[in-house]
Amino acid sequence: MTHNKPLAEAARRHLLDPAASLKTLGQKALPRLDRAEGIYVVDENGHRLIDGPAGMWCTQVGYNRREIADAMAGQAMNLSYTSPWYMGNSPAIRLAETIARLTPGDLNRVFFTTGGSTAVDTALRFVEFRNNVR
């Protein structure tokens, strides 16, 4: 596998490295991943690496899983997105029911979010709501 210099140059010029020093910003590109399979990611030089943090904790089931891709594609063709603030949807209801059945005690309600910042924002709103009710 060859190093793609135009792609590396485009990355250096256009991608923001959130950990870069402002003094060195834009002087070099982050290492590039080109593909993944199972628990491995493959870098621009063909090196296979174990993805320990699982793509920042969002690919715990592994990469390149045909059954998951097929399920995602099928759902996207049926109903790709609904906001949890305005409507429910069948897959979310079924998953919430399963989670409620598996959790202990009276942990019977689930709220799904699209990411960490949304989860924090929602938690703050729920706390405010509870305090307003009290």
Side-chain angles (χ1 to χ4, degrees), residues 1-131:
M1 187 171 303
T2 61
H3 184 74
N4 188 326
K5 288 191 184 216
L7 198 54
E9 177 62 17
R12 185 187 67 75
R13 290 179 35 225
H14 301 294
L15 285 179
L16 178 63
D17 174 359
S21 161
L22 289 179
K23 283 183 170 182
T24 60
L25 187 64
Q27 292 180 13
K28 64 179 185 171
L30 289 171
R32 187 180 77 240
L33 298 176
D34 285 334
R35 64 183 192 284
E37 185 173 341
I39 65 167
Y40 298 98
V41 291
V42 181
D43 74 8
E44 61 198 292
N45 299 310
H47 297 118
R48 280 174 35 123
L49 309 162
I50 293 175
D51 184 6
M56 291 298 271
W57 311 286
C58 63
T59 59
Q60 296 89 343
V61 296
Y63 295 96
N64 201 16
R65 300 271 308 271
R66 172 56 58 192
E67 67 275 21
I68 293 172
D70 288 345
M72 290 168 61
Q75 185 58 46
M77 293 305 294
N78 185 51
L79 178 64
S80 62
Y81 177 79
T82 60
S83 171
W85 284 100
Y86 307 112
M87 296 284 201
N89 64 71
S90 300
I93 293 166
R94 287 196 282 288
L95 181 57
E97 183 178 41
T98 299
I99 291 169
R101 187 174 57 250
L102 296 171
T103 55
D106 63 351
L107 298 174
N108 295 320
R109 296 199 184 271
V110 176
F111 184 81
F112 297 108
T113 69
T114 56
S117 59
T118 308
V120 170
D121 180 67
T122 301
L124 290 172
R125 289 173 189 247
F126 283 155
V127 167
E128 289 174 351
F129 176 75
R130 181 179 183 275
N131 285 334

